[in-house]
């Protein structure tokens, strides 16, 4: 388990700025899989599956993770694919919580 995956998402205090520059790069380097930083604003990853049933089962595991961590991604489900998009809405950008959540999502694969 990665150091990020061992952490939990914490309550974000409104008014704190989102991460930028080197802080984003440092955390992104710790992610496995195919996570991409998009516009220094959000993380995106598309997981591929053999069929719809497997993709749906993963979607349900991701829903459980979202509730456990109280941090909720956008989930796009299609045949054999699940795309996840996550950022901290209150910060209007990326926080450590997003990287923690992404690392934990990889473990649900």
């Amino acid at each position: 388990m990665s150091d990020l995956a061992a952490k939990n998402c914490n309550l974000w205090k409104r008014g704190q700025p989102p991460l930028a520059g080197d802080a984003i790069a440092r955390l992104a380097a710790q992610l496995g899989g195919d996570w991409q930083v998009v516009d220094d604003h959000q993380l995106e990853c598309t997981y591929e599956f053999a069929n719809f049933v497997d993709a749906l089962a993963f979607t349900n595991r991701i829903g459980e993770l979202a509730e456990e961590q109280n941090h909720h991604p956008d989930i796009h489900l299609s045949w054999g694919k699940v795309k996840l998009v996550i950022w901290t809405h209150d910060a209007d950008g990326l926080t450590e919580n997003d990287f923690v959540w992404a690392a934990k999502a990889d473990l649900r694969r």
Side-chain angles (χ1 to χ4, degrees), residues 33-36 43-49 58 76 78-85 106 109:
D34 296 318
W35 285 98
Q36 301 293 317
L43 297 174
E44 295 183 5
C45 186
T46 300
Y47 296 85
E48 294 190 14
F49 299 89
F58 176 69
H76 307 270
S78 60
W79 194 98
K81 290 185 182 179
V82 177
K83 179 179 178 182
L84 302 176
V85 180
D106 282 343
R109 177 73 161 87

Side-chain angles (χ1 to χ4, degrees), residues 4 7-13 19 35 41-43 59-75 84-105 108:
L4 286 172
K7 295 181 177 185
N8 286 306
C9 296
N10 297 310
L11 182 62
W12 182 254
K13 296 177 185 166
L19 298 173
W35 285 98
H41 179 267
Q42 63 201 39
L43 297 174
T59 299
N60 288 328
R61 291 191 300 276
I62 289 303
E64 291 168 1
L65 173 63
E67 286 298 298
E68 288 168 11
Q69 294 296 310
N70 195 29
H71 199 50
H72 301 84
D74 292 345
I75 303 170
L84 302 176
V85 180
I86 190 156
W87 73 95
T88 301
H89 293 248
D90 287 343
D92 192 26
L94 291 167
T95 68
E96 184 177 271
N97 285 340
D98 302 302
F99 293 91
V100 167
W101 194 93
K104 287 180 175 295
R108 302 288 171 116

